[in-house]
Amino acid sequence: MKIAITTTGPDLDAKVDPRFGRCPCFLIVETDDLSFEAIENPNVALGGGAGIQSAQLMAERGVQHVLTGNCGPNAHQTLLAAGIGVIVGCSGSVRDAIELYKTGQLSPVAEPNVASHFGMGAVSTDATGPAAGATFGAGMGRGMGGGRGMGGGRGMGRGMGGGRGMGMGRGMASGGDAAAPQAAPAGNAGDDELAMLQQHAEAMMQEVRQIQQRIQELEREKSRGGQG
């Protein structure tokens, strides 16, 4: 059985990345012997359509299931149309996720578990204090988001605007807007939550680095234009 896993690195000991369309790497794994091929995701920096492009890449590779943390409606629809099952809520190491899959503890879902452009310009409905009722920007682009079933989901999106512009959106959504990851085996829920939070922190830092890089590029372009 050939499956694909969204990962932070090119080997079986890497962590499962919670994003489908913008994960750093896909691991294409043969579950029979654990042979694998690491594919650097060419869609990480796309302003839009990263999920669809990544889904088409998986179809070209002939995988039968995709294991990830979150999957939006566009990518989910494209994967299903290609006959690929979508398994969400995965966390921890790639090796652990494969073992859960092989032992039948992971199942495909019929619906996406995050909304399209999740977290973009959303209003917090359950926050207290200064954040209550706040709206964070109106970014353009797709981003990552993870639902927390007992409280609220957080999402982050960024993308490239038209021309030389750039937009960033950050939002908070209630738990009803994003399905919580599927239940993990009893006894390690705290570890799974810690791993997921660490992955989200890493993803957000990567977003910040990309934004800073784009700012530097725009500043250089502005400087060259002023000299001209």
Side-chain angles (χ1 to χ4, degrees), residues 98-218:
I98 294 173
E99 184 61 26
L100 291 174
Y101 173 83
K102 292 177 65 175
T103 55
Q105 298 183 58
L106 301 177
S107 301
V109 294
E111 301 290 339
N113 71 323
V114 290
S116 179
H117 304 283
F118 180 71
M120 185 182 68
V123 178
S124 173
T125 58
D126 59 351
T128 58
T135 301
F136 298 93
M140 298 181 63
R142 298 173 58 81
M144 50 78 65
R148 296 280 303 283
M150 294 300 293
R154 275 185 173 272
M156 178 174 180
R158 63 175 292 275
M160 302 298 297
R164 294 168 58 190
M166 182 176 189
M168 174 179 173
R170 177 182 175 85
M172 299 173 65
S174 65
D177 291 336
Q182 293 180 341
N188 65 346
D191 293 340
D192 286 347
E193 181 178 357
L194 175 61
M196 179 65 75
L197 289 174
Q198 290 173 334
Q199 292 167 13
H200 279 272
E202 292 173 1
M204 292 174 70
M205 287 188 290
Q206 181 179 354
E207 296 282 349
V208 171
R209 287 193 294 270
Q210 292 174 347
I211 292 170
Q212 291 174 335
Q213 181 180 357
R214 182 57 180 164
I215 290 174
Q216 293 172 355
E217 292 174 354
L218 292 173

